[in-house]
Amino acid sequence: MAKAVVASAYGGPEVLQVKDLDLGNPGPGEVLIDVKAAGVNPVDLKLYSGAFGTDPSKLPLHLGMEVSGVIAAVGPDAEGISGPLSVGDEVIAFRVKGGYAEQVLTSASNVVTKPATTSFEQAAGLMLVGATAVHLLETVHPVAGETLLIHGGAGGVGLSAVQLAVQRGSTVIATASHRRHGVLTESGAVPLLYGSGLADRVRSLAPEGVDAAIDTVGTDEAISVSLELVSDQSRIATIAGFGKTDGTGIRLLGNGPGADPGTAIRDAARVDLARLAGDGSLRVEIDRTYPLDHAADAHRYVQDGHAAGKVVLLP
């Protein structure tokens, strides 16, 4: 039996409960993973909040899409993204179901080898934000010498996008609160405070113009400033501004209504993301860790918007 966190009803973090589950043995093409760390993401909260519907037949909801851990058992013909898998391998698994657990059973096709230089906590927070950042960048396609504006540059997705864009040779201007400017500077971006007068502050830093923009926050300001500064509206993408972009040409990405999920792009990014994390080119900043049975506290922290990096559960 393995402990797992499930949502027993739709609502707030108070509906989360710890249950004992018997996962059984892995079948063909599957692996059983002893979870060392599980990434917490805002979409996890939305799943049981009712934002995606309240179908009672889907309860209890098994939460957690990304984990890191050690393979405990391997089914027949189980081969991961980066090659054959064996008991004892340290791995990252993304697009799993029920990762908030001591163990998770998943398809081997979701599994990539964890770099030895990357901690389990960092590995558990790598894939969702990293793959989302890659999708955003592939959509607006900033190249060397161009200027990219990132709204919410110090969040999980934003910070990954900053680092990846800088590696491509782009000049990155990223918005954040004053307390997060240091991490943006360390990552190679030019930090800028959001709020009144933002467009003029961006112009002062980029007098030759802004070529593309990424919105990770979904505020009216992020949308309007992007439209004001970027002439080609197809080079503006948002993962949060749903309902605010009708008729603008802004690209909607992710799980929102009418958005492009970018599944193929995100899946293809996994091996490269692991490599970049392993060689130190892509840093995952961990804000807080919580024991598995304090998952509700972790969700309250994420819900309050105070996280300055990834939040991770430790079984």
Side-chain angles (χ1 to χ4, degrees):
M1 302 293 283
K3 291 182 178 179
V5 174
V6 302
S8 58
Y10 293 101
E14 70 279 356
V15 305
L16 299 183
Q17 296 181 347
V18 178
K19 301 284 189 180
D20 288 325
L21 301 178
D22 184 3
L23 298 178
N25 297 316
E30 293 182 330
V31 294
L32 181 67
I33 300 172
D34 287 333
V35 177
K36 300 298 183 182
V40 175
N41 295 286
V43 68
D44 299 337
L45 285 69
K46 290 181 180 179
L47 285 172
Y48 66 85
S49 72
F52 299 150
T54 57
D55 183 350
S57 69
K58 294 182 178 180
L59 297 173
L61 292 171
H62 294 255
L63 305 173
M65 298 181 178
E66 57 179 344
V67 303
S68 63
V70 178
I71 291 184
V74 178
D77 303 318
E79 185 162 331
I81 302 166
S82 45
L85 299 169
S86 302
V87 172
D89 287 350
E90 295 184 352
V91 295
I92 305 169
F94 176 49
R95 297 194 188 281
V96 304
K97 180 180 180 181
Y100 289 7
E102 292 177 331
Q103 290 187 319
V104 66
L105 188 65
T106 190
S107 169
S109 63
N110 293 328
V111 177
V112 64
T113 300
K114 182 185 81 66
T117 55
T118 304
S119 71
F120 284 109
E121 291 85 354
Q122 291 170 322
L126 171 65
M127 288 296 169
L128 192 147
V129 296
T132 303
V134 170
H135 188 196
L136 285 162
L137 291 171
E138 289 298 313
T139 299
V140 304
H141 197 58
V143 298
E146 289 192 323
T147 297
L148 171 68
L149 173 63
I150 299 180
H151 299 277
V157 174
L159 194 57
S160 294
V162 164
Q163 295 174 79
L164 295 171
V166 168
Q167 290 171 26
R168 297 182 182 202
S170 299
T171 297
V172 179
I173 299 172
T175 68
S177 63
H178 277 307
R179 69 186 181 93
R180 301 292 290 154
H181 282 193
V183 70
L184 287 173
T185 300
E186 292 171 6
S187 300
V190 180
L192 202 58
L193 183 67
Y194 51 79
S196 179
L198 175 60
D200 289 337
R201 292 195 297 278
V202 175
R203 287 191 184 95
S204 70
L205 293 174
E208 295 184 1
V210 174
D211 299 288
I214 285 172
D215 165 40
T216 73
V217 293
T219 61
D220 291 341
E221 175 187 74
I223 298 298
S224 63
V225 168
S226 297
L227 288 170
E228 183 176 344
L229 297 177
V230 180
S231 59
D232 183 353
Q233 294 171 359
S234 69
R235 298 192 70 191
I236 306 171
T238 181
I239 58 170
F242 303 106
K244 300 179 181 180
T245 64
D246 292 348
T248 64
I250 290 177
R251 308 286 292 276
L252 298 174
L253 309 182
N255 294 314
D260 170 17
T263 304
I265 293 173
R266 297 184 186 211
D267 284 351
R270 292 175 291 185
V271 171
D272 202 37
L273 289 169
R275 177 186 61 80
L276 291 170
D279 68 20
S281 300
L282 181 60
R283 185 179 73 257
V284 178
E285 187 175 358
I286 303 299
D287 183 334
R288 290 189 183 185
T289 63
Y290 290 83
L292 186 65
D293 56 4
H294 287 198
D297 293 331
H299 279 211
R300 290 186 187 99
Y301 182 64
V302 171
Q303 192 176 50
D304 289 343
H306 295 150
K310 292 294 295 189
V311 174
V312 175
L313 296 177
L314 303 178

